[in-house]
Amino acid sequence: MATLDVSKARANFPSLKSGYIFADNAGGSQATKGVVDKISDYLLNTNVQLGADYSTSVQSTTRVLTEGPTVAAKLFNAENPEEIVFSASSTMNLENLSRGLEKDIQEGDEFIITGEHEANVGPWKKLAARRGAIVKLWKATPTNPENPYSVTLKIDELLPLVTSKTRIVAFTACSNILGSIVPVKEVIAALRADAKAKGAKKVEVSVDCVAYAPHRFIDARDWDVDFCVFSFYKVYGPHASVLYVRSSVLQTSVSSIAHHFLDVHEKAYKLQPGGPGYEIVYGTTAVVDYLLSLTPSNDLAKTFEAIAAHEQEILTPLLTYLTDPAQRARGVRVVGDEKPGPTRVPTISFVVIGQNPIKSRDIVDVFDKKGGIGIRYGHFYAYTLVDGLSPKLDVNDGVVRISLVHYNTIEEVQKIISILKEILNK
C-alpha cells in the first residue's frame, strides 16, 4: 500500500505555514493553493455569463458545465457527469432534491431517517409534513455497556422499521459527531432485500457523505445508492456541495425545479435552479488533482487508503488517552466509537461528566485562551442525536469535538493531548 507524504501534503496549504493547528476540520477543511489558483484564474480570465457563442463564454461554459461535473463524478465514482448537481451547501442540495421528489411522494409513504446532521434529516421531515408521509427514526444505540454515549447505528435496528410502505431511507456514511463509519453497501443490500420481501414498491436511499468524503473513497455505484452528497469545503476545496443522483431515478422519480423551458428531463441540472457560483465550481476541479498527487498510484481509491492509514496514526494516541481508565474514572466519555480501526475516522467527540463535570464550552475556552489550536463544542447540527443521548446532556453545550484530517501531524496531536492533560488533571 502507498504511504502518505504528509510534508508534501501540507505544502499545498498556505494556511498551515503559520503553525496554527486546525482541528475543526469536520466543520471545514483548509483549501489547497490549487483551488485558490483556479478560482482566481476563472475570475481574471473567464468571468462571463455562460451559454454565449463568443470564445470566452464557450471556455467559461466548458469549465463550469463540463469540467466541474466531470471531476466531481470521479469523487462519487458516478457513471456520468449528468448525475451531478452543484449547490452552495449539502443542506441546500438535499432540500432541492426533496422538492424535486415531491410529486412522487404519496400520503402514507414512510421515511426512515437518523438523528444525524440535519442536512439529511430536515428536508425529509419537511417533505413528509407537506405530503402526509410518516417519519421513523433509526436510533443510534450504545456498543459499550460501560459508556452510554458509545452509540452507533446498527443494521438490526434498522430492518424492523422497514415495511411495505417504506419509500425513503436517509442515513450518514459517517457521523460528524460519532466518527464511526457505517457499512453503507451492507446496509443498503440488507435494506433492499428486506424491503422487497415485505412488498415495498419503491425504496430510494439518500446517504450523507459530508463527514465521510475527507477520509474514505465514495463509490456510489458499488453501494447501489440513489442519492449521495458531500461538501467540497470539507474536502480541501471551496464552499460548495455536490449531489449525486442516479440517472434512472432522475428519469422516473425527480421532477424539475429549474426553469420550465429548459430541456433537462434526464439531467441532474433539473435540481439546480439558477447557476451555482461559476468560479467556485471551477475551483473544485483542483481537488482531484491534489488528491492524486499524494501517492504515485494515480488512483483515488489508493490515495484514500494512504490517507486512512495516516489518520489511524494520528487518531490512535488521542483516542487511547481519552479512553484510558484514569480518564474514564475522571468522567471522560467518548461519544461514539471508542476504538481506533478501519471503521473509525479522526473525528473525536467527548464529554466530561460525573462528580466533577466540566462543560464542553469551558474545555474549548481553555484552548481558545491558549491560542494556536482551533477546536469546537456544540451539537454541530446533529441536534436530534445529541439531544437524545442518555444520560441527558445540555444540547447547546453538546460535546467537545476534535476533528483531524490527513494534513494534521502526530506532533499536533501531542500538543492537543498536553492541553487536555492540564484541563483534566486539575
Side-chain angles (χ1 to χ4, degrees), residues 59-180:
Q59 184 182 7
S60 179
T61 303
T62 299
R63 286 180 161 189
V64 176
L65 297 186
T66 301
E67 293 181 34
T70 297
V71 171
K74 295 178 181 178
L75 289 167
F76 287 111
N77 193 29
E79 186 174 354
N80 66 72
E82 299 294 352
E83 298 174 313
I84 303 301
V85 185
F86 275 88
S87 189
S89 69
S90 291
T91 299
M92 184 176 291
N93 250 328
L94 289 167
E95 184 65 41
N96 287 341
L97 172 62
S98 73
R99 291 285 179 180
L101 289 168
E102 190 155 336
K103 294 179 181 179
D104 203 61
I105 301 302
Q106 307 298 318
E107 185 175 357
D109 283 350
E110 295 178 354
F111 297 174
I112 301 173
I113 62 173
T114 67
E116 297 283 357
H117 194 290
E118 196 68 11
N120 195 31
V121 175
W124 305 117
K125 291 190 291 188
K126 288 181 281 186
L127 175 59
R130 293 195 300 269
R131 301 297 294 165
I134 298 165
V135 175
K136 297 179 176 180
L137 182 63
W138 178 17
K139 296 181 180 179
T141 54
T143 59
N144 180 359
E146 296 182 1
N147 179 8
Y149 300 123
S150 64
V151 298
T152 191
L153 295 172
K154 301 170 186 174
I155 297 176
D156 59 3
E157 293 176 352
L158 164 65
L159 299 184
L161 301 175
V162 177
T163 74
S164 62
K165 296 183 178 180
T166 299
R167 177 64 181 82
I168 297 288
V169 179
F171 63 95
T172 56
C174 179
S175 170
N176 74 323
I177 294 281
L178 308 177
S180 52

Side-chain angles (χ1 to χ4, degrees), residues 211-364:
Y212 181 96
H215 310 287
R216 300 289 192 275
F217 180 60
I218 300 169
D219 196 336
R221 281 187 283 179
D222 186 56
W223 289 353
D224 190 24
V225 68
D226 301 290
F227 317 118
C228 190
V229 70
F230 76 87
S231 297
F232 266 109
Y233 64 96
K234 300 181 184 186
V235 194
Y236 324 113
H239 204 291
S241 166
V242 276
L243 170 70
Y244 161 85
V245 185
R246 194 201 300 259
S247 58
S248 59
V249 175
L250 276 171
Q251 297 172 38
T252 59
S253 300
V254 179
S255 299
S256 176
I257 60 171
H259 296 310
H260 68 90
F261 50 81
L262 294 177
D263 182 15
V264 291
H265 175 64
E266 297 181 359
K267 299 178 181 179
Y269 197 85
K270 69 200 303 185
L271 290 172
Q272 197 167 283
Y278 300 153
E279 70 279 8
I280 298 299
V281 172
Y282 185 58
T284 67
T285 64
V287 171
V288 166
D289 288 341
Y290 164 69
L291 291 170
L292 291 176
S293 76
L294 296 179
T295 65
S297 64
N298 200 39
D299 183 315
L300 279 173
K302 293 186 182 303
T303 293
F304 277 102
E305 288 178 5
I307 285 174
H310 171 67
E311 289 183 342
Q312 287 301 306
E313 293 178 8
I314 58 177
L315 159 69
T316 300
L318 180 54
L319 201 55
T320 300
Y321 170 73
L322 290 170
T323 56
D324 183 271
Q327 303 314 320
R328 188 178 296 278
R330 173 63 184 82
V332 177
R333 299 290 183 272
V334 168
V335 180
D337 193 345
E338 297 181 294
K339 298 178 181 179
T343 60
R344 188 67 159 89
V345 305
T347 297
I348 303 173
S349 301
F350 68 94
V351 292
V352 182
I353 60 173
Q355 294 183 342
N356 187 21
I358 309 176
K359 288 184 176 296
S360 298
R361 179 196 302 264
D362 293 339
I363 293 172
V364 173

